[in-house]
Amino acid sequence: MKKKLFIKTWGCQMNVYDSARMADVLAPLGYQTSDGPEGADMVILNTCHIREKASEKVFSELGRLRREKALRETGGERMIIAVAGCVAQAEGEEIMARAPYVDMVFGPQTYHSLPEMVAKLARGAGERVLNTDFPVESKFDLLPEERAPQGVSAFLSIQEGCDKFCTFCVVPYTRGAEFSRPAGAVIAEARRLVAGGAREITLLGQNVNAWHGAAPGETGAAWGLGRLARELAGIDGLERIRYTTSHPLDMDDDLIAAHGEVPALMPFVHLPVQSGSDRILAAMNRKHRADDYRRIVERMRAARPDLALSSDFIVGFPGETDADFAETLRLVGDVGYAQAYSFKYSPRPGTPAAAAAGRQVDEAVKEERLAALQQLLNAQQVAFNQSMVGRTVPVLLDRRGRRAGQLLGRSPWMQSVPVEAPGRLLGSTVEVEITAARANSLAGTLAAAGTAAVPQPSAVEATVVEAAV
Ligand code: 5AD
Ligand code: SF4
């Protein structure tokens, strides 16, 4: 009999990928995914621990689920409640203790053993599962090869964990040490995704450009991401390759060169810098200076002139002064971002920066700096989007729109572009004449029906991000 599975996902794309893989693991057990918790036989909360209020959000969601579960039990039915992801990893015991109605708590490295965990639950009333192991064998080797169709734009995890230990970040503790999947396994999964209809693949990893997968056939040196991109670009039907999230230190020569040589490698890179102050970068243990970052960006743009960038910023890191913050604004002005995320620093339990008790920045100061930074970043984003008006850009139509006759796609620079287009064009790249820019999307009309080639790097003019500020 079919059972209903609802997975609620918070956080990064890695979690989105993991949720899809959990569904793949549970499918042979009869679980089919549904859109909401109502009437679900199993609900999994796939959680994120990166910034504050993570566990409060989980506990308030659990409160709602507890009522749903009670309702089902009065009807004689069972609802399994599970907490997965990084909050589960970091606070597993506390969740088990505080929420006795939660049946399973398991960390990000354990999804392959979901069938065993479910079997354990089925064995007896009162059985509960807490699994926050970091197993020696990689979960990737144990996950099923088959994946449910992922649509036109698919995620593919190639790397997990992090050895960088930025002093503000929980990832090295919740996701564990850096691990790269072998090149052969990645290529095989990419081929399956493309065979299932994917035209764009986003390679995922907490430190994706640190990927160094064993070469296929286990001969020769490990591959880097540049080499992998070149190989994937050879897969027939795969038009676009993206990767996220990157660390500036791992942006090696070959990957930079690949941006100039592989048209399928999209000209939009998320390259978090966090701060523009050398003092703060050192305190964050980022291991590079602001000028190193500027140089990397310059080299990437030299390789691919239309490259646009996105970043993450933290304001109010312990000890950050007005002068440090001014350096961040200066860096933003110098680089010119197409889009970016910015956050107030929040102390994460167990991280070195959280222990800097006397040096924490005032909440009001953090608010002020965040507002100033976001104002600048928003202005850059608007200017970047405006620079597209009047141009014709290739758009990969990857979803149906809300209105009939409308398809949604993305430009090479990740801008969302809704267009009036016949449904048969879903999955193809079309040329769209951009007529207007909004803060978060572009408006346009189909220039020429049918598929179009992905732009060659040399054929695309440089985008004028410099004009933003
Ligand atoms: N406080 C604020 N922002 C954080 N990030 C990670 N840890 C923290 C923290 N403790 C941000 C970083 C990172 C993004 C995913 O989340 O900018 O790049
Ligand atoms: Fe966290 Fe990224 Fe630093 Fe790793 S490189 S510790 S994931 S911020």
Side-chain angles (χ1 to χ4, degrees):
M1 201 194 66
K2 291 289 171 213
K3 294 177 225 152
K4 270 171 86 175
L5 166 69
F6 173 61
I7 308 182
K8 177 164 176 145
T9 309
W10 281 279
C12 62
Q13 288 107 325
M14 205 85 175
N15 269 11
V16 176
Y17 176 87
D18 282 344
S19 292
R21 299 303 271 138
M22 285 189 242
D24 290 338
V25 174
L26 289 168
L29 275 62
Y31 285 97
Q32 274 183 343
T33 49
S34 68
D35 293 338
E38 302 76 24
D41 298 287
M42 188 190 301
V43 175
I44 302 176
L45 303 182
N46 193 6
T47 62
C48 170
H49 200 237
I50 197 95
R51 286 176 296 274
E52 65 191 334
K53 304 215 177 80
S55 43
E56 286 109 288
K57 276 188 223 156
V58 174
F59 279 109
S60 78
E61 187 71 29
L62 282 174
R64 276 192 290 276
L65 289 176
R66 176 192 203 167
R67 288 190 288 278
E68 184 75 25
K69 179 173 176 142
L71 214 66
R72 268 181 83 78
E73 275 171 3
T74 48
E77 282 167 313
R78 179 155 197 211
M79 177 170 137
I80 296 172
I81 300 182
V83 182
C86 293
V87 176
Q89 187 68 40
E91 299 179 20
E93 310 238 341
E94 195 192 333
I95 298 168
M96 292 296 272
R98 260 180 73 182
Y101 48 90
V102 169
D103 303 283
M104 296 195 287
V105 175
F106 49 91
Q109 307 306 333
T110 65
Y111 303 149
H112 55 280
S113 43
L114 260 171
E116 283 140 76
M117 297 191 252
V118 174
K120 190 170 171 214
L121 283 186
R123 270 204 295 274
E127 282 278 6
R128 299 171 78 205
V129 174
L130 171 65
N131 185 355
T132 49
D133 295 346
F134 282 113
V136 226
E137 73 278 25
S138 151
K139 72 175 173 193
F140 293 108
D141 295 339
L142 303 166
L143 287 167
E145 283 196 352
E146 280 314 307
R147 293 192 58 183
Q150 296 297 303
V152 175
S153 181
F155 289 142
L156 200 177
S157 253
I158 65 169
Q159 183 277 337
E160 197 165 11
C162 182
D163 294 340
K164 295 279 191 303
F165 289 93
C166 299
T167 56
F168 53 80
C169 184
V170 287
V171 166
Y173 311 97
T174 57
R175 291 273 175 169
E178 202 177 295
F179 167 79
S180 294
R181 293 178 70 187
V186 172
I187 295 164
E189 189 169 332
R191 285 190 189 287
R192 282 193 294 273
L193 287 170
V194 174
R199 295 292 166 262
E200 170 176 272
I201 290 181
T202 303
L203 305 171
L204 299 180
Q206 262 95 27
N207 233 259
V208 75
N209 59 342
W211 180 83
H212 53 283
E218 287 163 32
T219 53
W223 285 14
L225 193 56
R227 174 82 195 264
L228 180 65
R230 291 171 213 271
E231 192 71 25
L232 294 177
I235 297 178
D236 220 19
L238 181 59
E239 294 179 21
R240 293 181 169 193
I241 302 166
R242 302 181 185 276
Y243 59 93
T244 195
T245 284
S246 294
H247 191 290
L249 278 189
D250 294 312
M251 200 45 84
D252 66 27
D253 294 349
D254 188 51
L255 181 54
I256 293 177
H259 273 284
E261 294 159 16
V262 181
L265 200 51
M266 286 292 103
F268 178 84
V269 176
H270 183 60
L271 191 63
V273 66
Q274 315 295 355
S275 168
S277 151
D278 288 343
R279 231 171 51 79
I280 296 299
L281 287 170
M284 286 175 163
N285 192 30
R286 293 289 291 179
K287 301 192 183 81
H288 67 81
R289 288 160 305 169
D291 275 350
D292 300 325
Y293 182 88
R294 286 184 177 90
R295 255 191 305 278
I296 293 162
V297 167
E298 247 167 52
R299 290 177 53 221
M300 293 174 76
R301 285 187 167 144
R304 178 110 198 208
D306 64 330
L307 188 98
L309 286 146
S310 149
S311 181
D312 292 339
F313 294 92
I314 296 178
V315 299
F317 184 82
E320 187 189 67
T321 62
D322 284 343
D324 292 318
F325 178 61
E327 285 293 281
T328 298
L329 294 179
R330 191 163 72 84
L331 180 78
V332 173
D334 289 347
V335 172
Y337 288 97
Q339 191 246 321
Y341 303 94
S342 42
F343 313 100
K344 286 186 288 182
Y345 170 72
S346 76
R348 308 312 295 139
T351 58
R359 298 167 54 77
Q360 299 295 336
V361 172
D362 235 43
E363 200 53 31
V365 174
K366 284 187 198 171
E367 291 279 356
E368 227 170 78
R369 288 181 188 162
L370 187 68
L373 177 60
Q374 290 188 337
Q375 195 180 8
L376 176 57
L377 290 168
N378 284 343
Q380 291 194 341
Q381 180 169 339
V382 167
F384 180 72
N385 288 347
Q386 279 294 341
S387 74
M388 299 285 152
V389 176
R391 293 178 55 182
T392 300
V393 303
V395 172
L396 173 60
L397 299 170
D398 57 8
R399 284 157 296 155
R400 290 184 189 282
R402 248 170 292 148
R403 281 190 287 116
Q406 189 189 55
L407 294 177
L408 296 180
R410 290 203 183 264
S411 77
W413 304 277
M414 281 302 275
Q415 293 136 312
S416 180
V417 191
V419 275
E420 302 299 319
R424 68 182 162 78
L425 288 180
L426 186 68
S428 47
T429 300
V430 295
E431 293 292 328
V432 175
E433 228 179 278
I434 304 302
T435 51
R438 308 196 181 94
N440 293 308
S441 65
L442 301 175
T445 52
L446 219 52
T451 53
V454 176
Q456 299 295 314
S458 57
V460 187
E461 73 195 65
T463 28
V464 264
V465 229
E466 287 80 8
V469 279

